Amino acid sequence: MHDVRTVKAPSMLRLASAALAGTAIEFYDFFVYGTAAALVLGPLFFPTVSPLAGTLAAFATFGVGFVARPLGSVLFGHIGDRRGRRPVLVVSLLLTGASTVAVGCLPTYGSIGMAAPLLLVTLRFLQGLGLGGEWGGAVLLTAEHAPAERRALWSSFPQVGPAVGFLLANGSMLVLSATLSEAEFAAWGWRVPFWAAGVLAAVGLWLRSSLAESPRFLEIEEPARVPLAEVVRHHWRLVLLTAGALAVGYAVFYAVTTWSLAYGTERLEVSRSVMLTCIMAAVVVKGALTPVAAVLGDRYGRRPMCLVGCAATALWMFPMVALLSTGAPLLMFLGFLGAMLAFITMFAVIAAYLPELYEPRVRCTGAAVGYNLGGVLGGALTPIAATALAEQGGRVPWGVGAYLTGIALLSLACFALLPETRPVPVAVAKPVMD
């Protein structure tokens, strides 16, 4: 048994801020690829096919990262449940950062032929593998340190990280695309954000170097021998329900941030800078309101927030694609903003909700596998499916709206089958995790 007396309680603000910085850096790595896939990777790595097929191929390599994420959650979940949450944060950050820098150094199809897209797919797979472990480690380390009555609030800090990472990734692309010519951007400008990942990874490792191990992990007398086997044997239904529940968040986020970027620039002929600005503005509001939604989750419960977010998503998808199809910056922003507000109503509380659903000895594996399987269901296919559906429609891509609404209804049904986990006062009952 671990000796919990040797562990000093860390400052929650410092710990949560370090978790936020780490997830921001890792999601920066992941998002910068998505933005590049929408803007430039098709012609550079798949030049022998039509522009539409090149975009689909680039989005397919984008999807490889999502397929790798559940494998990363199994690998790093095993480490997290056997060796502790803290080692996961270091190794996953190193893997994702190194893979991202390598993409920035990769020769294109014109230089090395078919080896270029093959190497691109390999590096994208390694990116996804690292990110599959990042979320579980960062969220659990925060959630398991946090007081029960404020767990959703403190656990929402890592959930702000993706918004920060997205803004860094797209902000760098926006600056480069605005200051460089098309030829310069295609020749070398798109590589700069990938190279910057190396500096960000070094900062993240420094921030995480002094974090204390989770007290909940240290209290486990006998860690699971094979965490995945226990999850599959005893929690398979919970994993499938959480994956289906979270699919809508991924679908909506990547429809807004990745598919709509390609659709706006290619089909609507809106400038790259305008599209990036509209999307980034919506994500800024999303990030700022994440702690607010988390406080509501501590007050009213995790499950009610998720049900409201799913319902709002189902109602907003057709208006969103209609607003997008106008090509008017303000209307597109309003469409994206509504989608992001519905998204964060759910995902602000997920970092507290998922860990509370699983017992501590398999929590890192169970929560991370469910979270990342949701990414495969909702995130990997959405840019590909939406691009194909939009190609078959007219000016307004109603098929995309129907697709996203269908996923929202599926997730609504899954959330309805999950239990509430919000801890009640100690005088009434023992909190779920404490």
Side-chain angles (χ1 to χ4, degrees), residues 264 268-271 274-275 278-279 320-336 395:
L268 303 179
E269 297 182 348
V270 179
S271 75
V274 168
M275 288 302 303
C278 291
I279 295 169
M320 185 193 79
V321 297
L323 291 168
L324 168 63
S325 67
T326 66
L330 179 59
L331 295 179
M332 290 192 298
F333 164 71
L334 291 175
F336 299 151
R395 171 79 179 183

Side-chain angles (χ1 to χ4, degrees), residues 64-131:
V64 167
F66 284 96
V67 174
R69 283 174 65 167
L71 299 178
S73 65
V74 171
L75 171 63
F76 289 104
H78 183 90
I79 297 172
D81 285 324
R82 292 284 301 167
R83 304 297 179 188
R85 321 313 192 197
R86 188 173 174 273
V88 171
L89 301 182
V90 175
V91 180
S92 63
L93 186 59
L94 279 172
L95 178 60
T96 308
S99 303
T100 306
V101 173
V103 171
C105 300
L106 196 61
T108 62
Y109 186 95
S111 299
I112 59 174
M114 278 302 298
L118 291 176
L119 288 172
L120 185 67
V121 170
T122 301
L123 292 172
R124 180 60 175 172
F125 181 87
L126 292 175
Q127 263 193 334
L129 202 68
L131 192 62

Side-chain angles (χ1 to χ4, degrees), residues 17-33 89-90 92-101 127 134 161-173 191-209:
S17 298
L20 187 160
T23 53
I25 292 164
E26 292 232 32
F27 275 91
Y28 166 87
D29 296 349
F30 203 72
F31 289 148
V32 77
Y33 185 98
L89 301 182
V90 175
S92 63
L93 186 59
L94 279 172
L95 178 60
T96 308
S99 303
T100 306
V101 173
Q127 263 193 334
E134 160 65 25
V164 176
F166 176 83
L167 293 171
L168 288 173
N170 283 265
S172 61
M173 286 290 187
R191 298 179 183 273
V192 175
F194 288 89
W195 295 336
V199 178
L200 294 175
V203 172
L205 290 172
W206 174 74
L207 287 171
R208 290 179 165 183
S209 61

